[in-house]
Amino acid sequence: MAVTIRDVARVSGVHVSTVSRAFTAAHLVNPETRARVLAAAEELGYRPNRAARALSTRRTGNLGLIVADIANPFFPPLLKAAQAQARARDYHVFIADTDEQSRVEEELVRSMAKQVDGAVLVAPRLTNTAITALAEELPLVVVNRRPPGVPGVLMDVGSGARKAMEHLLALGHREIALLSGPGRAWTSGEIERAANRVADDHGVLIQRIGPNPPTEEGGRAAAEEVAASGATAVLAHNDLVAFGLIRRSAELGLSVPGDLSVVGVDDSHLARYTAPALTTVHMPVAEAGRGAVDLLLQSVTSGGSAGTVSLETALVVRDSTAPPPGNTSAAPPPVTGDDAAG
Amino acid sequence: MAVTIRDVARVSGVHVSTVSRAFTAAHLVNPETRARVLAAAEELGYRPNRAARALSTRRTGNLGLIVADIANPFFPPLLKAAQAQARARDYHVFIADTDEQSRVEEELVRSMAKQVDGAVLVAPRLTNTAITALAEELPLVVVNRRPPGVPGVLMDVGSGARKAMEHLLALGHREIALLSGPGRAWTSGEIERAANRVADDHGVLIQRIGPNPPTEEGGRAAAEEVAASGATAVLAHNDLVAFGLIRRSAELGLSVPGDLSVVGVDDSHLARYTAPALTTVHMPVAEAGRGAVDLLLQSVTSGGSAGTVSLETALVVRDSTAPPPGNTSAAPPPVTGDDAAG
DNA sequence: TTGAAAGCGCTAACAT
DNA sequence: ATGTTAGCGCTTTCAA
């Protein structure tokens, strides 16, 4: 068996409770005793058993991270940052992939509950009500979601979408389609709302195509409808959908950005590498990951549940957007101001 | 406090041990009693506390997954598959990112040890000796590494590299460079060995450039040396390095595949989307992830440590490879057989 | 400053 | 088939 606190106690000639104190309440033990205990621990290679500790302290030192799809390139940088932040605070992290299924999400949180001090739900697919209910059972922080009473980190995708729309309008587009994501995704609503607002201000009407699965396949499947719609520009739910659309459109004989301008959302790793490089809304995922963990640890430590943090997004203009076919009147500044033009 | 086994016992009018048995040894309890217990548990929303259970069973129901860099697109699909497989077996998974640092890797495994039944080290950067030593402390399975006595899953990148070399040679390349990865990575050695063997067989000499960090930056940084080397084709350590090389080469005025053919390794998500689409060695990462978990669970369950599983790789020819400049004698079959030609 | 003892939630002999 | 008891590794009163 592994070496336990008892072994350390025996070797250092003190009682187990003293060993315990040497590790968790240094000031309660004589420096010399403590040194002796630590030396013995070192020598034996003793490591406190966190699970056993958790049993009496009710603090596991673990966090849960729940995401819809690890393989979606949006998530890994967020996971990496969150994991790093947790580790820096000496927390271990459980990770779980829900495969985009809200039931799995709920079940996962519940089954994890006893083993973690709290969990981060990244872009959850659950309803707000379900999330709020879960938050009763254990400290929760959500990313890109706004259930009442639950602290969270939001990446302000709405302002990014607004900038994207203004960019497209400035390029001269008037027929713009929105390739929307799953209804359960918070970003879907945010993007749609923001896009419609800008469109209204400019007296332009947006066609909404969707909902679509937030995957390449989702984008591919929508390509024909986009082509038939007569749109000259598309704002896609995310980069993956944008890629799917671009590739399928090419097969249908439409070139991007020549025939069709496409804007993604996420600014995932891929966006820089594709042909054409993707104009997209940059999401500060690493900050969000760190922020979510900070928020969670804060609410775990100080009991009180913190508020909501909102993070800026930005439009990154690359090569997938251009003036509409047969239009040469591109306005120079790609990212315009806030003024509306009726 | 959360509901415990005691609450269930009280409500269902039996002793705690009966409740325990109802959950873990159904056949030892009267069906009717069991039904009553289960009903009470259901009603109370009881969930066994896995950490407490672990204390007496010495089985945590948790697994560890240690990777060098979550954000490297090679890993997420593997993590996803491994996580899914674990969940299917009712195991929870801890994930940890080592940031490519072998010391962190070791520390992480140790700090996790008490909380997991075993761990999967994916493409570890530790030395074989260190890994073998760690395997004494807890069941370990490695992916893409072959430390003596430790079970593992290997993706046979050597055969993929061989096919890549044959592909380049068939295209007419004679000046081939190898952009090697970090020395600590198992794949580095495998690729180099396989590439050299093929080169020898064809009386061609390979230039080895590196080691390089396994990142886009690593590829970028090597681009000038590649250009100076006179190579007409490059076999890169992985897709990321290949991308970096391609992009930096473009800045240097070299086009791919016109001036330079580039082959990657991994067949990550990105490879299909880049311009040009990347010719690369496909790695069966999902299978590897599942296989590693299976192997680990097997060695956890049945004590015995299983052997090593080797998975096939394949060359995926896309658009980043072509005949060398000024050579039109491209051989048609992109993937050639095993014959050597002196 | 240290030791003794109880208990965290659960399982596992051992009785009955 | 079920209850009793001890104990997993650790923390935390309570005494001394």
Side-chain angles (χ1 to χ4, degrees):
Chain A
M1 280 309 69
V3 19
T4 79
I5 201 174
R6 256 210 257 309
D7 301 314
V8 179
R10 187 165 11 81
V11 169
S12 52
V14 298
H15 195 267
V16 290
S17 57
T18 303
V19 177
S20 173
R21 280 188 284 255
F23 278 95
T24 58
H27 59 284
L28 290 183
V29 44
N30 183 311
E32 290 174 17
T33 316
R34 182 171 135 88
R36 199 146 36 89
V37 169
L38 263 27
E42 171 80 73
E43 180 196 331
L44 296 173
Y46 168 74
R47 297 247 175 182
N49 181 326
R50 297 182 137 212
R53 177 179 286 175
L55 210 47
S56 56
T57 58
R58 298 171 170 291
R59 286 294 209 72
T60 62
N62 296 147
L63 257 36
L65 233 49
I66 321 263
V67 303
D69 180 7
I70 300 176
N72 178 334
F74 171 73
F75 294 104
L78 194 154
L79 296 181
K80 184 178 170 89
Q83 190 275 339
Q85 188 76 352
R87 209 174 82 72
R89 307 271 185 273
D90 198 29
Y91 275 77
H92 288 176
V93 356
F94 279 107
I95 207 160
D97 182 310
T98 68
D99 245 336
E100 300 275 353
Q101 298 170 286
S102 49
R103 284 190 200 161
V104 174
E105 203 167 293
E106 190 161 10
E107 169 54 26
L108 237 25
V109 174
R110 289 231 160 78
S111 75
M112 225 173 231
K114 296 284 196 347
Q115 282 198 97
V116 300
D117 296 335
V120 177
L121 303 187
V122 188
R125 303 323 196 202
L126 283 170
T127 62
N128 276 353
T129 340
I131 297 175
T132 306
L134 275 178
E136 300 284 311
E137 304 186 25
L138 88 166
L140 243 44
V141 164
V142 294
V143 174
N144 278 5
R145 197 59 182 274
R146 193 156 201 165
V150 180
V153 176
L154 298 176
M155 292 176 257
D156 184 8
V157 69
S159 84
R162 181 171 55 66
K163 292 174 204 149
M165 283 294 296
E166 285 162 353
H167 168 61
L168 292 174
L169 289 165
L171 285 170
H173 293 276
R174 289 299 174 268
E175 302 291 335
I176 301 177
L178 179 70
L179 222 50
S180 62
R184 298 151 298 157
W186 174 81
T187 50
S188 293
E190 289 296 301
I191 292 170
E192 187 169 350
R193 205 170 357 265
N196 277 324
R197 176 128 24 94
V198 177
D200 278 358
D201 290 349
H202 288 256
V204 163
L205 211 61
I206 285 183
Q207 297 185 54
R208 177 171 175 280
I209 297 177
N212 304 281
T215 60
E216 189 201 351
E217 201 35 62
R220 293 188 67 87
E224 307 207 1
E225 193 172 345
V226 168
S229 76
T232 60
V234 174
L235 175 55
H237 175 69
N238 67 16
D239 288 354
L240 241 33
V241 170
F243 293 139
L245 171 65
I246 290 175
R247 291 169 59 80
R248 179 67 186 140
S249 294
E251 294 170 16
L252 297 173
L254 286 175
S255 90
V256 172
D259 302 313
L260 187 67
S261 284
V262 176
V263 179
V265 170
D266 282 355
D267 193 20
S268 57
H269 204 173
L270 293 80
R272 276 188 305 277
Y273 299 117
T274 48
L278 193 67
T279 295
T280 184
V281 174
H282 176 80
M283 302 277 255
V285 287
E287 278 180 75
R290 277 191 295 273
V293 167
D294 279 345
L295 229 47
L296 184 57
L297 257 31
Q298 194 174 316
S299 95
V300 162
T301 308
S302 57
S305 107
T308 291
V309 173
S310 182
L311 265 26
E312 279 303 297
T313 65
L315 182 69
V316 182
V317 178
R318 296 203 180 91
D319 311 326
S320 65
T321 46
N327 178 334
T328 25
S329 67
V335 180
T336 61
D338 285 357
D339 305 352
Chain B
M1 284 302 77
V3 18
T4 80
I5 202 174
R6 257 210 258 309
D7 301 314
V8 179
R10 185 162 18 78
V11 170
S12 50
V14 297
H15 196 269
V16 289
S17 56
T18 303
V19 176
S20 174
R21 280 188 285 255
F23 278 95
T24 59
H27 60 285
L28 290 182
V29 44
N30 182 309
E32 289 174 17
T33 317
R34 183 170 135 87
R36 199 147 37 90
V37 169
L38 262 30
E42 171 79 74
E43 180 196 331
L44 296 172
Y46 168 73
R47 297 250 176 179
N49 181 327
R50 296 183 137 214
R53 175 180 288 176
L55 210 46
S56 57
T57 59
R58 293 160 178 297
R59 288 292 209 72
T60 62
N62 296 150
L63 258 35
L65 234 49
I66 322 263
V67 301
D69 180 9
I70 299 177
N72 178 333
F74 171 73
F75 294 104
L78 195 154
L79 296 182
K80 185 178 172 88
Q83 191 274 338
Q85 188 75 354
R87 208 175 81 73
R89 308 271 185 271
D90 200 29
Y91 275 77
H92 288 176
V93 354
F94 279 106
I95 208 162
D97 182 311
T98 67
D99 247 336
E100 300 275 352
Q101 297 171 286
S102 49
R103 281 187 202 164
V104 174
E105 205 168 291
E106 190 161 10
E107 170 55 24
L108 237 25
V109 174
R110 288 231 160 77
S111 77
M112 227 173 232
K114 295 283 197 349
Q115 280 197 100
V116 300
D117 296 333
V120 176
L121 302 186
V122 188
R125 305 319 199 204
L126 283 170
T127 62
N128 277 351
T129 342
I131 296 175
T132 306
L134 275 179
E136 301 283 310
E137 304 186 26
L138 86 166
L140 242 45
V141 164
V142 293
V143 173
N144 278 5
R145 196 59 182 273
R146 192 156 201 164
V150 180
V153 175
L154 298 176
M155 290 175 259
D156 184 8
V157 70
S159 84
R162 180 170 55 67
K163 292 173 204 152
M165 283 295 296
E166 285 163 353
H167 168 61
L168 293 174
L169 289 164
L171 286 170
H173 292 278
R174 290 300 174 268
E175 303 291 335
I176 302 177
L178 179 69
L179 222 51
S180 62
R184 299 151 299 156
W186 172 81
T187 49
S188 294
E190 289 295 301
I191 293 170
E192 188 169 351
R193 200 166 6 261
N196 278 324
R197 175 128 25 96
V198 176
D200 278 0
D201 290 348
H202 290 256
V204 163
L205 211 61
I206 285 183
Q207 296 186 57
R208 178 172 174 283
I209 297 177
N212 305 282
T215 59
E216 188 199 352
E217 202 35 62
R220 293 188 66 88
E224 306 208 0
E225 193 172 345
V226 169
S229 75
T232 61
V234 175
L235 175 55
H237 174 69
N238 66 17
D239 289 353
L240 242 33
V241 171
F243 293 138
L245 170 66
I246 290 175
R247 290 168 60 81
R248 180 68 186 140
S249 295
E251 293 170 17
L252 297 173
L254 285 176
S255 89
V256 173
D259 301 312
L260 186 69
S261 284
V262 176
V263 178
V265 170
D266 283 356
D267 192 22
S268 57
H269 204 173
L270 293 79
R272 274 190 304 279
Y273 298 117
T274 49
L278 193 67
T279 294
T280 183
V281 174
H282 176 79
M283 303 277 256
V285 287
E287 278 179 76
R290 276 191 295 273
V293 167
D294 279 344
L295 229 47
L296 183 57
L297 257 30
Q298 195 175 317
S299 96
V300 161
T301 309
S302 58
S305 107
T308 291
V309 173
S310 182
L311 264 26
E312 279 302 299
T313 66
L315 181 69
V316 181
V317 178
R318 296 203 181 89
D319 310 326
S320 65
T321 47
N327 178 332
T328 27
S329 70
V335 179
T336 62
D338 286 355
D339 307 350

